[in-house]
Amino acid sequence: DSDVDEEQAACLLNESIFVETCLRFEQSGPMLISTEVVRKWIETTCKANQSDSVLLFDKLPDEDGSGTNALLKALLSYALSPSSALSIVEKVQLSLESWRQGGPIWNTKGAELASSPQIFDEFRLCSSSSLKKELISEQGKDDALIDLICHSWSERAWRLHQLCTTVNESFSQSTMALIGLDDVELWKSCAEEGNAKRAECFYLCLMHFLHNIEGTDIRRKIFWGQIEPEFPPTKLMVHVLVALIDTSKILLRSMERRVSRIRQFWELLGGKDGSSPEFIEA
């Protein structure tokens, strides 16, 4: 209902005005609250950063597609203001939380803070580490939930890729390493007995991520990237395909679906036209 939407918008505006008034980052004079209160607000806002869970489904963030987190928005604005007294650690915490939630607040505030020279390197390391840890977390048993979680993971991976390539275009050559999907040993482990769920998770994360990339040439460039000499690009792709084949034996009973899944992946990278003679031979 339009009345409900208007009421929610009014509440959000009032909340924003209250928080910004307390922080006074656009006004002269001291804040109306103590630094301890500000730290408590940051701690409350960044609860996901403190999670020690090893379960992948416990890492599903509360995404904010509509930009309704007034407290996070105000704290990001304060972190970006010249009068900010926040530490580097606190700024990194806020940027990581915004990256997890995504939406318009990330696009307008979070990405700006994360890309600032003061914290970019630390943010990049922390977000990359977070994505890699989630990839090897316990996956759970609910296939629908796994797909939802992998889609959420891919959105965060895509946000990190976009941010890094905006700061420096050369980062696109190491995107797969940055998000943890270039690890040949992990792909090999997916083909081992008992790791079907891990292989399914890896596949979904990779496919959702690749679908975010427009253009086969760009997609292929990001996938190949810069891989260690002993693991050439063809070896990575072969192990991805082997993992898909072995996973399909267990999770996809239909031969048609098994072939379809492998074809989807191959065609995202250009199919036969996008493959080198070395790959065909491998």
Side-chain angles (χ1 to χ4, degrees), residues 54 56 59 128-138:
V54 297
L56 182 61
K59 296 290 187 178
S128 173
S129 175
S130 174
L131 290 171
K132 291 175 181 178
K133 286 179 181 177
E134 289 175 44
L135 277 177
I136 58 175
S137 298
E138 295 178 27

Side-chain angles (χ1 to χ4, degrees), residues 22-222:
C22 290
L23 293 170
R24 294 179 68 92
F25 55 83
E26 290 184 350
Q27 306 171 40
S28 59
M31 293 189 299
L32 302 182
I33 54 176
S34 68
T35 54
E36 288 302 316
V37 172
V38 175
R39 290 195 182 99
K40 179 58 71 173
W41 281 1
I42 293 173
E43 181 182 332
T44 301
T45 302
C46 303
K47 286 184 293 185
N49 294 345
Q50 283 81 49
S51 175
D52 293 325
S53 174
V54 297
L55 300 176
L56 182 61
F57 48 81
D58 283 344
K59 296 290 187 178
L60 188 63
D62 296 323
E63 297 190 2
D64 185 24
S66 56
T68 57
N69 193 331
L71 180 57
L72 177 60
K73 183 179 180 180
L75 287 169
L76 287 167
S77 296
Y78 174 59
L80 288 163
S81 70
S83 61
S84 172
L86 297 184
S87 67
I88 298 296
V89 171
E90 290 167 333
K91 290 180 178 180
V92 171
Q93 284 182 324
L94 288 170
S95 60
L96 284 170
E97 185 61 32
S98 183
W99 167 70
R100 288 187 174 93
Q101 294 189 19
I105 294 178
W106 165 256
N107 294 334
T108 58
K109 302 287 185 182
E112 181 182 355
L113 179 60
S115 62
S116 61
Q118 193 180 36
I119 72 166
F120 172 70
D121 286 340
E122 184 65 19
F123 169 83
R124 179 168 55 86
L125 290 173
C126 290
S127 52
S128 173
S129 175
S130 174
L131 290 171
K132 291 175 181 178
K133 286 179 181 177
E134 289 175 44
L135 277 177
I136 58 175
S137 298
E138 295 178 27
Q139 287 80 32
K141 298 180 179 180
D142 188 321
D143 289 344
L145 181 57
I146 288 175
D147 183 64
L148 178 64
I149 291 167
C150 291
H151 182 269
S152 174
W153 181 96
S154 72
E155 290 297 308
R156 279 173 279 129
W158 177 245
R159 287 195 283 272
L160 178 58
H161 164 75
Q162 284 186 309
L163 179 76
C164 289
T165 52
T166 298
V167 172
N168 188 332
E169 191 174 350
S170 67
F171 276 118
S172 65
Q173 298 175 345
S174 57
T175 290
M176 291 289 285
L178 188 70
I179 64 178
L181 287 176
D182 73 324
D183 193 325
V184 173
E185 292 303 316
L186 281 178
W187 281 105
K188 286 171 68 176
S189 73
C190 289
E192 296 173 0
E193 186 176 352
N195 281 345
K197 286 292 186 181
R198 170 178 287 186
E200 177 76 353
C201 178
F202 265 52
Y203 167 78
L204 290 172
C205 286
L206 176 60
M207 291 296 285
H208 283 311
F209 177 73
L210 291 176
H211 272 295
N212 278 319
I213 305 168
E214 293 186 7
T216 301
D217 290 342
I218 299 174
R219 205 177 289 133
R220 194 162 55 241
K221 178 182 177 183
I222 290 173

